[in-house]
Amino acid sequence: DRWNRRTVYVQTADGSMGAKLVFVHPGENFLRFGDAISLSLDKCVISRDAGNGALEISGVRASNVRSVSHNQAVPPKIREISALTDADIYTYVEIQGLDIVFPDGSYSKIQESWASKMDGYLTLLRDDSGNGINMIVNAACRFRRTGKSLPSRVNLRGVLVGEKMRRYGNDIGRYSIRPIDENGIVPLR
């Protein structure tokens, strides 16, 4: 939970490039989905992932955020799994017509006692061509275990990430998607 609240994903206005912002403390992160910001990089650390070139800016403090314009429209880029590229990492995308491979249970099929030790849980989805992608649902989000049945087919909107998760052997595929909230998981049937 402390990691989830420190991290924000931002993208350029045209969606051509994204970055991961990591705040020093969770309490300094006041940004919400749809906020347009101006950011000072003073005392921040800028790095790129050696494998996929993803941009990370860490050491961010609330004072680095120079201006905020709330509730700005963020249209997702419509993509197919096979068409995803490293340039899409940390941008808002929608992948349409996906099947949840194991639709029984909740979005996080874990024992509740483990939830506090995890930042996210993977749910595998596949398209009609058999291409797969993992959806990462944060352990701290409210919708991960609501008692409702999961849809079997969805359109999925969220931030594309290229993460490695140690508990999954650091190999969860080149790309995964993190929905912003449950509204990003749109049932089709």
Side-chain angles (χ1 to χ4, degrees):
D1 186 38
R2 62 189 171 92
W3 297 108
N4 294 335
R5 293 174 192 241
R6 289 179 44 195
T7 303
V8 171
Y9 302 100
V10 296
Q11 68 182 29
T12 56
D14 66 359
S16 63
M17 181 182 163
K20 176 180 180 179
L21 303 183
V22 182
F23 284 80
V24 174
H25 300 289
E28 296 203 61
N29 176 11
F30 61 92
L31 299 175
R32 299 292 172 252
F33 181 73
D35 285 350
I37 65 168
S38 170
L39 185 71
S40 164
L41 299 176
D42 185 42
K43 298 183 182 171
C44 293
V45 176
I46 302 169
S47 60
R48 286 205 177 264
D49 184 284
N52 60 27
L55 180 64
E56 181 176 303
I57 303 169
S58 59
V60 180
R61 297 201 169 268
S63 60
N64 290 105
V65 180
R66 298 294 186 194
S67 66
V68 179
S69 179
H70 299 291
N71 301 318
Q72 301 300 305
V74 183
K77 298 187 294 187
I78 308 298
R79 294 286 190 262
E80 293 182 8
I81 295 173
S82 61
L84 295 169
T85 69
D86 291 351
D88 293 318
I89 293 178
Y90 301 146
T91 65
Y92 189 53
V93 300
E94 179 175 333
I95 304 172
Q96 299 176 339
L98 297 174
D99 293 313
I100 296 179
V101 175
F102 303 106
D104 299 324
S106 65
Y107 290 112
S108 62
K109 297 167 182 54
I110 57 174
Q111 279 198 318
E112 284 306 301
S113 61
W114 298 351
S116 65
K117 298 171 180 66
M118 300 179 77
D119 66 344
Y121 181 83
L122 302 181
T123 299
L124 179 61
L125 297 101
R126 71 168 178 242
D127 64 16
D128 292 336
S129 299
N131 299 306
I133 191 164
N134 284 302
M135 173 176 62
I136 303 173
V137 176
N138 288 350
C141 75
R142 290 182 170 93
F143 72 87
R144 72 177 177 82
R145 193 175 203 118
T146 63
K148 296 187 295 187
S149 296
L150 297 185
S152 59
R153 190 160 174 85
V154 299
N155 288 343
L156 181 60
R157 289 188 304 263
V159 177
L160 190 76
V161 295
E163 297 183 1
K164 296 171 177 57
M165 297 178 96
R166 188 177 54 191
R167 74 184 149 282
Y168 293 105
N170 283 330
D171 185 8
I172 60 173
R174 187 156 187 92
Y175 308 116
S176 299
I177 190 165
R178 287 184 173 270
I180 303 297
D181 56 28
E182 193 172 18
N183 294 325
I185 306 166
V186 182
L188 295 177
R189 57 177 169 192

